[in-house]
Amino acid sequence: QVQLQESGPGLVKPSQTLSLTCTVSGASITTSYYFWSWIRQSPGKGPEWMGAIEYEGSTYYNASLKSRTSISRDTSKNQFSLRLSSVTHEDTAVYYCAGGEGGKSDNSYYFTYDYWGQGTQVTVSS
């Protein structure tokens, strides 16, 4: 079975960088046509897709967060990571990693979320 697990600090200071890692087991992150995403849920804004990295390493980002977001991967560890810079209190949320098959159809990319991590609370505070 495919399992995802988020890890990283639960507290981040304002203006610093939030860093999380998702460890995947039961499937390779290089499996053809699979995309691996970061999604967050904030009580004030609701769920928000942040970005994804595909099986060959290409990345995609939410336009509203692109300037501050970086997604990378370590295939030797079957992990992918999220870095969100210059955080503020509005970045406080539960952060999830998720994965599933994706691709391109009619000039648009699509993502699925068949597999989810449990989520991890990240609080931005002094």
Side-chain angles (χ1 to χ4, degrees), residues 7 13 18 26 36 43 47 52-53 68 72 76-77 88 97 100 115 123:
S7 62
K13 295 181 178 180
L18 181 158
W36 307 93
I53 187 165
R68 298 194 293 131
S72 60
S76 68
K77 297 180 179 180
T88 71
C97 55
Y115 314 113
T123 300

Side-chain angles (χ1 to χ4, degrees), residues 2 7 9 13-14 20 24 31-32 46 56 58-59 61 65 83-84 104 113 118 121 123 125:
V2 180
S7 62
K13 295 181 178 180
L20 297 172
V24 180
T31 298
S32 295
E56 291 185 335
S58 297
T59 53
Y61 299 104
L65 298 169
R83 291 180 63 83
L84 182 68
K104 189 176 183 179
Y113 312 101
Q118 296 181 36
Q121 173 71 45
T123 300
S125 177

Side-chain angles (χ1 to χ4, degrees), residues 17-80:
T17 297
L18 181 158
S19 181
L20 297 172
T21 296
C22 182
T23 300
V24 180
S25 62
S28 173
I29 61 173
T30 62
T31 298
S32 295
Y33 308 119
Y34 271 70
F35 290 67
W36 307 93
S37 298
W38 286 100
I39 300 162
R40 67 181 183 181
Q41 293 191 29
S42 171
K45 296 183 178 180
E48 181 178 36
W49 177 81
M50 302 183 69
I53 187 165
E54 65 156 80
Y55 61 104
E56 291 185 335
S58 297
T59 53
Y60 309 86
Y61 299 104
N62 185 325
S64 68
L65 298 169
K66 185 176 182 179
S67 65
R68 298 194 293 131
T69 307
S70 179
I71 297 173
S72 60
R73 66 178 184 172
D74 185 339
T75 58
S76 68
K77 297 180 179 180
N78 212 39
Q79 297 176 330
F80 64 102

